[in-house]
């Protein structure tokens, strides 16, 4: 089913590359929480434990760990103290494109478990006014736990459906890391349950949240829309349909050097799933 859609959307050669990407288990990758630690300290602590790390050329806070399982990383003091956060490299992109700055009023609309919220907060050196919204009760609890552990103490949290946020609110910057089919995250141990009905449900939710994000965005503000899906319905087709109605436009972004990409709408970045990267989509938008 998913294979058929990918074939129709990308053609045989690229659909095969995506299928190849699905055949890997990704190595553990971590983001250094710069509120609590620096690269030197983290690399030293891993080296002491005999764990080799590779740095990521496009992000000094990202590390690829060799030959270690997530469960072993969870037992390290670095993890327990919130000095590192396990996050796929693709998932570190949206906050980088959002470029959070001190004093900005930033909304993370669908925030749990909070990887990107804490990254946004850390990128602003703890000086942005971040509001994180999450609808699901259990995931909201996880968000609170992670924010606390990461030292993201001044993030305001809301346990609600972001589509119900009051239209009188307005934000300088918004991240909509939308709920999606997860078609970028397939691995041998994580096959997704996929159906056309489920995809339609995802697109409907994305459309509703995107329209709300565009209403809450200040004129001249920045919205980053992302999904961990490689399906065009959830990404570029949605943007092509919704942005013109809201008087919004794509602000062109470029993939960082070395990131494997898929063809996508001009000015947006779609990441090809590979051994290292989950399939992902990011677009920067303004109105
Ligand atoms: N940004 C998160 C991170 O990096 O840790 C991951 C977000 S995940 C892709 C999408 C989240 O949106 C899920 O936790 C889901 O429960 C939440 N969600 C879905 N619909 C929502 C809504 N209408 N309002 C608020 N949260 C919602």
């Amino acid at each position: 089913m998913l294979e058929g859609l990918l074939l129709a959307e990308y053609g045989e050669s690229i659909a095969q590359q995506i299928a190849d990407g699905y055949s890997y288990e990704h190595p553990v990758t971590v983001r250094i929480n710069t509120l609590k630690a620096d690269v030197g300290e983290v690399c030293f602590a891993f080296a002491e434990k005999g764990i080799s790390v590779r740095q990521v050329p496009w992000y000094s806070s990202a590390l690829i760990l060799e030959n270690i399982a997530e469960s072993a990383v969870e037992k390290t003091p670095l993890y327990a103290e919130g000095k590192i956060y396990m996050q796929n490299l693709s998932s570190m992109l949206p906050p980088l494109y959002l470029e959070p700055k001190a004093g900005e009023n930033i909304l993370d609309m669908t925030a749990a478990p909070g990887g990107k919220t804490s990254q946004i907060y850390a990128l602003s050196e703890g000086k942005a006014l971040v509001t994180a919204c999450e609808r699901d009760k259990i995931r909201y609890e996880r968000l609170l736990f992670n924010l606390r552990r990461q030292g993201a103490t001044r993030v305001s949290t809301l346990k609600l459906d972001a589509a119900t946020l009051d239209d009188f609110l307005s934000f300088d910057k918004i991240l909509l890391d939308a709920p999606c089919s997860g078609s970028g995250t397939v691995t041998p141990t994580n096959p997704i349950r996929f159906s056309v009905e489920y995809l339609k449900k995802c697109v409907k939710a994305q459309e509703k949240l995107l329209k709300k994000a565009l209403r809450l965005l200040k004129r001249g503000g920045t919205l980053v829309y992302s999904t961990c899906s490689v399906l065009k319905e959830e990404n570029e087709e949605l943007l092509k349909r919704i942005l013109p109605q809201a008087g919004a436009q794509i602000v062109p972004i470029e993939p960082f050097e070395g990131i494997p990409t898929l063809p996508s709408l001009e000015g947006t970045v779609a990441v090809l799933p590979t051994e290292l990267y989950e399939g992902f989509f990011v677009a920067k938008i303004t109105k």
Side-chain angles (χ1 to χ4, degrees):
M1 158 106 315
L2 176 58
E3 289 73 15
L5 270 178
L6 292 172
L7 191 60
E9 294 188 12
Y10 288 103
E12 205 169 317
S13 160
I14 293 174
Q16 186 56 51
Q17 287 179 44
I18 296 172
D20 292 345
Y22 287 166
S23 69
Y24 294 103
E25 293 299 340
H26 306 293
V28 178
T29 51
V30 298
R31 176 175 53 80
I32 297 161
N33 176 12
T34 50
L35 294 173
K36 290 195 166 189
D38 61 31
V39 186
E41 177 189 350
V42 173
C43 288
F44 181 76
F46 279 127
E48 267 198 322
K49 290 202 177 304
I51 301 162
S52 341
V53 301
R54 268 193 291 149
Q55 288 201 262
V56 175
W58 49 266
Y59 191 21
S60 60
S61 296
L63 296 177
I64 303 159
L65 309 187
E66 313 277 5
N67 301 324
I68 184 165
E70 284 191 4
S71 53
V73 175
E74 280 169 6
K75 293 192 184 105
T76 63
L78 285 175
Y79 182 79
E81 290 163 15
K83 292 182 173 176
I84 55 170
Y85 187 88
M86 278 188 275
Q87 201 170 340
N88 184 269
L89 297 181
S90 304
S91 150
M92 298 180 195
L93 295 172
L96 293 178
Y97 287 116
L98 195 67
E99 299 182 85
K101 303 269 178 351
E104 287 173 343
N105 194 12
I106 302 178
L107 173 66
D108 186 352
M109 280 182 89
T110 51
K116 296 183 193 68
T117 316
S118 52
Q119 190 183 354
I120 289 169
Y121 188 75
L123 285 168
S124 79
E125 298 174 351
K127 293 176 185 158
L129 308 164
V130 181
T131 304
C133 196
E134 170 60 45
R135 178 175 73 171
D136 182 87
K137 184 172 183 297
I138 293 168
R139 291 179 66 91
Y140 179 75
E141 294 299 329
R142 191 73 212 169
L143 169 70
L144 293 183
F145 176 83
N146 282 333
L147 292 178
R148 216 172 299 127
R149 180 141 81 177
Q150 300 273 303
T153 43
R154 289 175 51 236
V155 173
S156 310
T157 56
L158 299 169
K159 198 219 136 291
L160 51 73
D161 178 347
T164 66
L165 283 164
D166 197 309
D167 281 346
F168 285 114
L169 294 168
S170 78
F171 296 88
D172 302 309
K173 290 185 176 171
I174 298 178
L175 172 63
L176 173 52
D177 185 40
C180 72
S181 67
S183 72
T185 65
V186 179
T187 69
T189 55
N190 181 38
I192 58 165
R193 268 172 279 129
F194 188 84
S195 67
V196 169
E197 291 67 40
Y198 181 55
L199 178 60
K200 276 190 189 151
K201 204 174 144 196
C202 290
V203 174
K204 206 170 156 198
Q206 289 153 358
E207 181 166 331
K208 197 167 169 192
L209 288 165
L210 179 59
K211 284 180 175 167
K212 174 57 80 170
L214 290 165
R215 281 200 294 273
L216 299 179
L217 187 67
K218 276 188 190 161
R219 204 147 283 285
T222 300
L223 163 66
V224 168
Y225 175 83
S226 58
T227 68
C228 57
S229 175
V230 290
L231 290 170
K232 298 187 180 193
E233 292 88 332
E234 301 181 84
N235 299 327
E236 60 179 75
E237 283 178 14
L238 180 78
L239 300 187
K240 282 196 270 188
R241 194 169 64 248
I242 304 301
L243 299 194
Q245 302 169 11
Q249 312 87 40
I250 303 272
V251 177
I253 52 171
E254 293 284 339
F256 298 121
E257 206 177 324
I259 294 185
T261 55
L262 287 164
S264 70
L265 180 66
E266 203 179 336
T268 66
V269 172
V271 181
L272 172 72
T274 61
E275 183 175 7
L276 203 49
Y277 289 87
E278 283 180 349
F280 213 81
F281 176 82
V282 195
K284 191 166 177 171
I285 295 158
T286 193
K287 74 163 190 192

